[in-house]
Amino acid sequence: MKKNYDVIIAGGGLAGLTAAIHLSQHFKVLVIDPDTYPRHKMCGEYLSMEVDSYLKSLGIHINDLSQVTINNFRFTRGSQSIKTATLPLGGIGVSRYSLDLELYNKAKEKTDFLLDRISDITLNHNHYEVITTDQKLTARQVIIATGKRSLLDKKLARPFIQKKSPWLAVKMHYKFKMPNDIVELHAFKGGYAGLSKIENGNVNLCYLVNYESFKEYKDINAFNKEVLTQNIALKEFFKVAVPIWEKPITISQISFEQKQPVEGKLLMIGDTAGLIHPLCGNGMAMAIHSAQIASKYVTQYLQDEITRDQMLIKYSKSWRKTFSSRLLYGRWLQKVLLHKKLTTLSYWFLERLPFLLPIIIKKTHGKEIQP
Ligand SMILES: Cc1cc2nc3c(=O)[nH]c(=O)nc-3n(C[C@H](O)[C@H](O)[C@H](O)COP(=O)(O)OP(=O)(O)OC[C@H]3O[C@@H](n4cnc5c(N)ncnc54)[C@H](O)[C@@H]3O)c2cc1C
């Protein structure tokens, strides 16, 4: 393995792998990640179709990965009536196990990979120094794609990491009969759960919950039994659904605090730049799209068309223009969904003005990304 690269990418999730495939067409790229592939990851596994054309241009065909085409949305709360809507662009139900592996296989055709964890990154004159557990490497440009929360955020003293976050998430695959073409969102006390199919016919249950609501119960099984089943749709689900894994995947301290796409001359993509509330089902598309935007400006910089400072400003502006309003709507929607009176009021409105639901969904998604 070389010691000097044009680009080093910290983190090989969706954002990091997409940037690697894009940039390795012209540059020497290294991705550093402590995990091997394939792997299950916390995610609702609903991928918005807005990324389809761009991924195709990179040689990734999501329709070959999954036939689960999702065009409908269903929302329930407690025992209240159900709301349904057609999704503006629709999406694909695909597991992170398959999707990340597909991107990894494509990326490794031209990208180097290092199985390691980055502990620090510094800018020295015109190159970055990247410190891992075992090595010291250099690159003309570094892209940070380490996801929602990483030890690197602590090392870089990013403001969001100083605050405690009350959110935790649980994910499990089940055998359960449900239509292919629907993604469901079921609200319960302190949180909400997404249900949709993935490529092998199994159903992914993934939920986000406030720790305050969770801590009264001794474990996930008790919480599922006592709280999730208060929702009528989830009650029906748990009656017959058969878990595939022995234990669910869990993560805690999920932060929705505002972040910056550029901090201290470091360029961030994916969840590292900003995490949209999961109920929007747009985080994966945003991770992929932010990788495309970053790749465009990093290419201009590496080809000496713009300076590093110009590149960072252009990326930052473009990121904000593309994602800021989506993040804002996501924040607002989550507040409404978890507030008893506001949800009741919203239900009342949606009952009378059902055409509003697709409009609201559209606000949390983007248009189809052009390659
Ligand atoms: C509960 C929940 C449900 C969701 N559901 C959906 C959904 O249905 N649809 C959707 O579109 N989005 C959803 N999302 C959002 C989506 O999962 C994320 O937006 C997406 O995974 C972001 O990809 P990423 O590449 O930024 O981060 P990740 O995929 O998390 O990748 C980060 C990578 O960085 C690596 N890493 C971490 N630290 C270091 C380090 N120090 N050095 C090197 N590597 C490091 C990690 O190992 C990891 O591989 C959901 C999120 C949550 C929390």
Side-chain angles (χ1 to χ4, degrees):
M1 204 191 66
K2 302 174 198 78
K3 289 277 179 193
N4 304 310
Y5 284 86
D6 293 321
V7 185
I8 291 181
I9 299 173
L14 286 183
L17 291 172
T18 304
I21 300 169
H22 192 131
L23 287 165
S24 62
Q25 293 166 4
H26 301 291
F27 307 107
K28 283 189 298 178
V29 179
L30 171 71
V31 172
I32 304 177
D33 195 295
D35 279 349
T36 53
Y37 304 85
R39 60 216 184 170
H40 287 288
K41 290 207 81 140
M42 179 59 67
C43 192
E45 304 186 322
Y46 165 84
L47 176 65
S48 166
M49 282 305 277
E50 65 202 65
V51 296
D52 187 41
S53 303
Y54 173 54
L55 286 183
K56 272 197 187 113
S57 75
L58 298 181
I60 305 289
H61 299 266
I62 33 178
N63 285 110
D64 293 347
L65 280 182
S66 173
Q67 309 296 307
V68 178
T69 307
I70 300 174
N71 290 310
N72 297 300
F73 170 73
R74 188 164 90 111
F75 171 57
T76 71
R77 174 179 168 247
S79 57
Q80 273 182 316
S81 68
I82 292 155
K83 300 278 162 286
T84 52
T86 307
L87 293 164
L89 263 179
I92 294 277
V94 60
S95 70
R96 292 296 298 271
Y97 192 85
S98 300
L99 182 59
D100 289 33
L101 178 64
E102 185 75 5
L103 286 163
Y104 167 69
N105 283 334
K106 187 74 201 167
K108 76 173 187 210
E109 289 172 11
K110 291 188 177 167
T111 303
D112 285 351
F113 277 80
L114 173 64
L115 197 65
D116 206 340
R117 189 179 295 279
I118 297 179
S119 54
D120 201 7
I121 301 170
T122 49
L123 176 60
N124 281 337
H125 306 294
N126 59 355
H127 71 272
Y128 289 86
E129 261 182 25
V130 175
I131 314 290
T132 72
T133 321
D134 293 328
Q135 314 216 26
K136 195 175 186 179
L137 301 139
T138 58
R140 279 185 71 197
Q141 185 57 43
V142 166
I143 295 177
I144 308 188
T146 46
K148 292 173 260 310
R149 192 181 191 90
S150 152
L151 284 177
L152 195 56
D153 294 314
K154 233 179 196 164
K155 180 71 195 174
L156 299 173
R158 299 186 72 196
F160 86 90
I161 204 97
Q162 320 298 337
K163 297 185 191 160
K164 277 205 154 198
S165 171
W167 297 104
L168 62 108
V170 178
K171 167 180 164 174
M172 180 75 146
H173 284 175
Y174 290 86
K175 288 238 167 289
F176 177 70
K177 273 195 186 141
M178 72 178 276
N180 263 9
D181 64 346
I182 199 154
V183 58
E184 302 185 342
L185 187 70
H186 303 298
F188 54 84
K189 190 178 162 232
Y192 53 84
L195 269 185
S196 56
K197 264 193 172 171
I198 52 165
E199 69 279 359
N200 60 6
N202 290 335
V203 168
N204 181 21
L205 169 80
C206 184
Y207 64 83
L208 186 79
V209 59
N210 195 303
Y211 184 68
E212 275 305 302
S213 171
F214 187 81
K215 71 177 185 197
E216 297 165 35
Y217 302 87
K218 68 177 192 315
D219 57 29
I220 289 168
N221 282 339
F223 186 72
N224 289 352
K225 201 169 155 210
E226 300 298 328
V227 181
L228 267 71
T229 54
Q230 298 295 318
N231 175 299
I232 194 156
L234 291 173
K235 187 175 178 182
E236 292 307 309
F237 172 79
F238 280 113
K239 268 187 200 163
V240 286
V242 181
I244 305 281
W245 307 324
E246 251 174 49
K247 278 198 309 191
I249 299 174
T250 55
I251 53 169
S252 60
Q253 292 274 338
I254 302 169
S255 171
F256 298 103
E257 289 290 325
Q258 241 172 317
K259 299 176 183 172
Q260 304 298 329
V262 175
E263 279 180 40
K265 301 221 186 246
L266 293 170
L267 187 154
M268 330 255 175
I269 58 174
D271 286 355
T272 318
L275 176 61
I276 191 163
H277 286 275
L279 72 112
C280 304
N282 203 241
M284 290 197 277
M286 281 178 56
I288 291 166
H289 196 174
S290 63
Q292 185 204 30
I293 299 171
S295 299
K296 175 179 150 189
Y297 293 118
V298 167
T299 299
Q300 290 178 7
Y301 164 61
L302 292 176
Q303 290 177 339
D304 294 325
E305 289 165 19
I306 52 175
T307 64
R308 176 183 286 120
D309 284 350
Q310 284 169 336
M311 178 263 290
L312 293 175
I313 290 168
K314 278 173 186 276
Y315 170 67
S316 190
K317 273 193 183 157
S318 182
W319 188 94
R320 279 177 222 287
K321 192 170 166 222
T322 314
F323 302 120
S324 290
S325 69
R326 244 182 269 187
L327 287 163
L328 198 70
Y329 272 104
R331 231 168 271 144
W332 173 78
L333 268 183
Q334 173 142 318
K335 268 202 185 114
V336 171
L337 188 69
L338 296 176
H339 191 287
K340 213 174 169 187
K341 279 190 187 147
L342 285 178
T343 329
T344 312
L345 197 67
S346 319
Y347 246 87
W348 187 87
F349 268 109
L350 288 174
E351 203 86 70
R352 280 145 192 88
L353 307 165
F355 63 90
L356 281 180
L357 193 53
I359 295 175
I360 296 169
I361 295 169
K362 220 173 181 172
K363 294 276 183 204
T364 61
H365 283 66
K367 297 194 183 81
E368 189 165 0
I369 307 168
Q370 294 313 310

